[in-house]
Amino acid sequence: MFHVGKLEDLDIGEAIKLDQFNPPIAIIRGESGEVYAIDDTCTHAKASFCDGFVEGDTVECPLHMSVFCLKTGVPDNPPAIKAVNVYDVEIRDGEIYVEVDR
């Protein structure tokens, strides 16, 4: 498991970009308070989800307004039609960890 940081440092609707992975991974805290990890690159226009808009437990691409489910990575409207990868997240003792194969 990769250590991301403290949960208290990630507010609702905020994102952290992990550039050390290929593709980069976005750690996003949805409005429910859940923390999600998804590929940070939109499958349509290659925009960063860290620059997107969080609503509920979804993120909207900042370029073309496709909305992706943070839990499944599946887009719910065109132009994006391909899902992004999602990664398991654990919160232990107030710290965020993500399961990533290197």
Side-chain angles (χ1 to χ4, degrees), residues 25-65:
I25 295 173
I27 307 298
I28 300 174
R29 192 164 186 187
E31 290 183 337
S32 69
E34 290 291 318
V35 178
Y36 301 95
I38 64 172
D39 286 344
D40 186 47
T41 306
C42 175
T43 56
H44 173 255
K46 310 298 182 206
S48 171
F49 290 122
C50 288
D51 297 328
F53 311 98
V54 175
E55 183 171 337
D57 285 338
T58 65
V59 63
E60 180 181 312
C61 175
L63 293 183
H64 57 77
M65 303 182 350

Side-chain angles (χ1 to χ4, degrees), residues 2-7 10 27 35 89-91 94-97:
F2 179 82
H3 179 246
V4 175
K6 294 183 178 293
L7 178 62
L10 184 63
I27 307 298
V35 178
V89 174
E90 286 185 23
I91 309 297
E95 302 285 333
I96 304 168
Y97 295 88

